[in-house]
Short mmCIF file of all heavy atoms in Angstrom, two decimals:
data_model
loop_
_atom_site.label_atom_id
_atom_site.label_comp_id
_atom_site.label_asym_id
_atom_site.label_seq_id
_atom_site.Cartn_x
_atom_site.Cartn_y
_atom_site.Cartn_z
N LYS A 901 98.93 11.02 29.64
CA LYS A 901 98.38 10.05 28.86
C LYS A 901 97.18 9.24 29.56
O LYS A 901 96.11 9.02 28.95
CB LYS A 901 99.25 9.07 28.20
CG LYS A 901 98.51 8.17 27.17
CD LYS A 901 99.61 7.18 26.61
CE LYS A 901 98.99 6.25 25.65
NZ LYS A 901 99.80 5.28 25.10
N SER A 902 97.44 9.03 30.92
CA SER A 902 96.45 8.22 31.66
C SER A 902 95.46 9.19 32.34
O SER A 902 94.53 8.70 33.05
CB SER A 902 97.18 7.54 32.81
OG SER A 902 98.06 6.52 32.29
N LYS A 903 95.60 10.44 32.00
CA LYS A 903 94.67 11.43 32.57
C LYS A 903 94.65 11.54 34.11
O LYS A 903 93.61 11.54 34.69
CB LYS A 903 93.21 11.29 32.02
CG LYS A 903 93.13 11.45 30.47
CD LYS A 903 91.76 11.31 29.96
CE LYS A 903 91.84 11.79 28.68
NZ LYS A 903 91.26 10.96 27.63
N ILE A 904 95.85 11.41 34.62
CA ILE A 904 96.07 11.64 36.12
C ILE A 904 96.49 13.05 36.31
O ILE A 904 97.53 13.48 35.82
CB ILE A 904 97.20 10.66 36.53
CG1 ILE A 904 96.67 9.26 36.38
CG2 ILE A 904 97.47 10.88 38.00
CD1 ILE A 904 97.59 8.19 36.69
N ARG A 905 95.69 13.86 36.97
CA ARG A 905 96.02 15.16 37.39
C ARG A 905 96.96 15.18 38.57
O ARG A 905 96.60 14.66 39.65
CB ARG A 905 94.61 15.95 37.69
CG ARG A 905 94.90 17.44 38.04
CD ARG A 905 93.62 18.02 38.29
NE ARG A 905 93.87 19.48 38.71
CZ ARG A 905 93.02 20.10 39.50
NH1 ARG A 905 92.01 19.53 40.04
NH2 ARG A 905 93.34 21.33 39.81
N CYS A 906 98.02 15.75 38.53
CA CYS A 906 99.00 15.84 39.44
C CYS A 906 99.18 17.22 39.99
O CYS A 906 99.56 18.22 39.21
CB CYS A 906 100.40 15.37 39.08
SG CYS A 906 100.35 13.64 38.46
N SER A 907 99.04 17.41 41.32
CA SER A 907 99.16 18.71 41.89
C SER A 907 100.40 18.56 42.93
O SER A 907 100.41 17.44 43.58
CB SER A 907 97.95 19.20 42.61
OG SER A 907 96.95 19.53 41.70
N VAL A 908 101.05 19.62 43.14
CA VAL A 908 102.17 19.62 44.10
C VAL A 908 102.16 20.86 45.00
O VAL A 908 102.01 21.91 44.60
CB VAL A 908 103.63 19.50 43.36
CG1 VAL A 908 104.74 19.58 44.32
CG2 VAL A 908 103.68 18.34 42.44
N ILE A 909 102.37 20.56 46.31
CA ILE A 909 102.60 21.50 47.20
C ILE A 909 104.10 21.37 47.64
O ILE A 909 104.40 20.37 48.33
CB ILE A 909 101.81 21.55 48.44
CG1 ILE A 909 100.35 21.73 48.00
CG2 ILE A 909 102.06 22.56 49.43
CD1 ILE A 909 99.21 21.59 49.11
N GLY A 910 104.95 22.38 47.35
CA GLY A 910 106.41 22.26 47.80
C GLY A 910 106.49 22.75 49.19
O GLY A 910 105.88 23.72 49.62
N LEU A 911 107.30 22.11 49.95
CA LEU A 911 107.59 22.61 51.36
C LEU A 911 108.97 23.06 51.49
O LEU A 911 109.27 23.51 52.62
CB LEU A 911 107.49 21.25 52.34
CG LEU A 911 106.11 20.58 52.17
CD1 LEU A 911 106.11 19.27 53.10
CD2 LEU A 911 105.01 21.51 52.54
N ALA A 912 109.64 23.27 50.33
CA ALA A 912 110.92 23.92 50.39
C ALA A 912 110.87 25.04 49.38
O ALA A 912 110.11 25.84 49.34
CB ALA A 912 112.06 22.85 50.14
N ALA A 913 111.86 24.97 48.28
CA ALA A 913 111.82 25.96 47.19
C ALA A 913 111.04 25.45 46.00
O ALA A 913 110.80 24.23 45.95
CB ALA A 913 113.26 26.28 46.87
N GLU A 914 110.78 26.29 45.08
CA GLU A 914 110.11 25.89 43.82
C GLU A 914 111.09 25.12 42.98
O GLU A 914 112.27 25.43 42.91
CB GLU A 914 109.74 27.16 43.05
CG GLU A 914 108.94 26.87 41.76
CD GLU A 914 108.49 28.17 41.08
OE1 GLU A 914 107.87 28.96 41.70
OE2 GLU A 914 108.86 28.27 39.88
N MET A 915 110.56 24.07 42.42
CA MET A 915 111.46 23.17 41.63
C MET A 915 110.65 23.13 40.15
O MET A 915 109.56 22.90 40.05
CB MET A 915 111.44 21.77 42.14
CG MET A 915 112.30 21.68 43.25
SD MET A 915 112.35 19.80 44.04
CE MET A 915 112.68 18.94 42.45
N PHE A 916 111.63 23.29 39.16
CA PHE A 916 111.09 23.25 37.76
C PHE A 916 110.31 21.96 37.43
O PHE A 916 109.18 22.05 36.90
CB PHE A 916 112.36 23.41 36.80
CG PHE A 916 111.88 23.20 35.34
CD1 PHE A 916 111.17 24.00 34.63
CD2 PHE A 916 112.05 21.85 34.81
CE1 PHE A 916 110.80 23.92 33.35
CE2 PHE A 916 111.62 21.60 33.53
CZ PHE A 916 111.00 22.65 32.69
N VAL A 917 110.94 20.81 37.97
CA VAL A 917 110.28 19.56 37.43
C VAL A 917 108.81 19.36 38.04
O VAL A 917 107.98 18.82 37.47
CB VAL A 917 111.19 18.36 37.78
CG1 VAL A 917 111.26 18.14 39.30
CG2 VAL A 917 110.68 17.09 37.00
N CYS A 918 108.74 19.90 39.39
CA CYS A 918 107.30 19.83 39.96
C CYS A 918 106.44 20.79 39.22
O CYS A 918 105.22 20.38 38.98
CB CYS A 918 107.46 20.28 41.35
SG CYS A 918 108.39 18.96 42.42
N LYS A 919 106.81 21.86 38.91
CA LYS A 919 106.08 22.84 38.17
C LYS A 919 105.72 22.28 36.83
O LYS A 919 104.51 22.38 36.31
CB LYS A 919 106.72 24.25 38.01
CG LYS A 919 105.86 25.29 37.36
CD LYS A 919 106.63 26.65 37.51
CE LYS A 919 105.71 27.61 37.06
NZ LYS A 919 106.25 29.04 37.14
N HIS A 920 106.60 21.74 36.11
CA HIS A 920 106.37 21.07 34.79
C HIS A 920 105.34 19.95 34.92
O HIS A 920 104.42 19.75 34.09
CB HIS A 920 107.67 20.60 34.21
CG HIS A 920 107.61 19.88 32.97
ND1 HIS A 920 107.35 20.65 31.78
CD2 HIS A 920 107.66 18.56 32.53
CE1 HIS A 920 107.19 19.74 30.72
NE2 HIS A 920 107.45 18.56 31.19
N LEU A 921 105.43 19.07 35.96
CA LEU A 921 104.66 17.92 36.20
C LEU A 921 103.07 18.49 36.30
O LEU A 921 102.19 17.97 35.57
CB LEU A 921 104.97 17.16 37.36
CG LEU A 921 103.97 16.32 38.01
CD1 LEU A 921 103.61 15.11 36.97
CD2 LEU A 921 104.38 15.67 39.34
N CYS A 922 102.83 19.68 36.98
CA CYS A 922 101.69 20.15 37.16
C CYS A 922 101.03 20.75 35.93
O CYS A 922 99.87 20.64 35.53
CB CYS A 922 101.71 21.25 38.34
SG CYS A 922 102.14 20.45 39.94
N GLU A 923 101.85 21.40 35.23
CA GLU A 923 101.50 22.07 33.97
C GLU A 923 100.93 21.04 32.96
O GLU A 923 100.05 21.19 32.18
CB GLU A 923 102.62 23.02 33.34
CG GLU A 923 102.81 24.25 34.22
CD GLU A 923 104.02 24.96 33.75
OE1 GLU A 923 104.97 24.43 32.82
OE2 GLU A 923 104.21 26.16 34.15
N GLU A 924 101.77 20.01 32.81
CA GLU A 924 101.50 18.92 31.84
C GLU A 924 100.26 18.08 32.14
O GLU A 924 99.60 17.68 31.29
CB GLU A 924 102.68 17.91 31.74
CG GLU A 924 103.91 18.48 30.98
CD GLU A 924 103.61 18.60 29.49
OE1 GLU A 924 103.28 17.78 28.83
OE2 GLU A 924 103.95 19.89 28.97
N THR A 925 99.98 17.96 33.53
CA THR A 925 98.83 17.12 33.86
C THR A 925 97.61 17.91 34.27
O THR A 925 96.61 17.39 34.63
CB THR A 925 99.17 16.18 35.00
OG1 THR A 925 99.66 16.97 36.08
CG2 THR A 925 100.34 15.33 34.65
N GLY A 926 97.67 19.36 34.13
CA GLY A 926 96.48 20.14 34.47
C GLY A 926 96.35 20.26 36.05
O GLY A 926 95.31 20.78 36.51
N GLY A 927 97.41 20.02 36.78
CA GLY A 927 97.33 20.31 38.32
C GLY A 927 97.67 21.67 38.66
O GLY A 927 97.96 22.56 37.77
N THR A 928 97.90 21.79 39.91
CA THR A 928 98.34 23.11 40.39
C THR A 928 99.56 22.97 41.17
O THR A 928 99.77 21.82 41.72
CB THR A 928 97.20 23.83 41.41
OG1 THR A 928 96.95 22.95 42.44
CG2 THR A 928 95.94 24.11 40.63
N TYR A 929 100.42 24.01 41.15
CA TYR A 929 101.64 23.95 41.87
C TYR A 929 101.77 25.18 42.77
O TYR A 929 101.63 26.29 42.40
CB TYR A 929 102.95 23.91 40.97
CG TYR A 929 104.08 23.90 41.62
CD1 TYR A 929 104.55 22.81 42.40
CD2 TYR A 929 105.10 24.91 41.43
CE1 TYR A 929 105.80 22.71 42.95
CE2 TYR A 929 106.35 24.83 42.08
CZ TYR A 929 106.69 23.77 42.86
OH TYR A 929 107.90 23.61 43.47
N SER A 930 102.21 24.97 44.17
CA SER A 930 102.27 26.05 44.94
C SER A 930 103.40 25.65 46.03
O SER A 930 103.70 24.51 46.14
CB SER A 930 101.01 26.18 45.95
OG SER A 930 99.91 26.42 45.01
#
């Protein structure tokens, strides 16, 4: 809602919640 684009670089394994955060805010997840 605040139009904050969140991108995540995971340093361990893929996490659903991090991927979801990126998808919802228009960021990228790797």
Side-chain angles (χ1 to χ4, degrees):
K901 184 178 178 187
S902 295
K903 296 185 171 129
I904 297 174
R905 181 180 177 209
C906 299
S907 295
V908 178
I909 297 175
L911 302 177
E914 183 174 308
M915 287 180 50
F916 169 80
V917 71
C918 292
K919 189 173 184 176
H920 179 71
L921 168 66
C922 296
E923 288 171 351
E924 287 293 307
T925 62
T928 59
Y929 181 64
S930 305

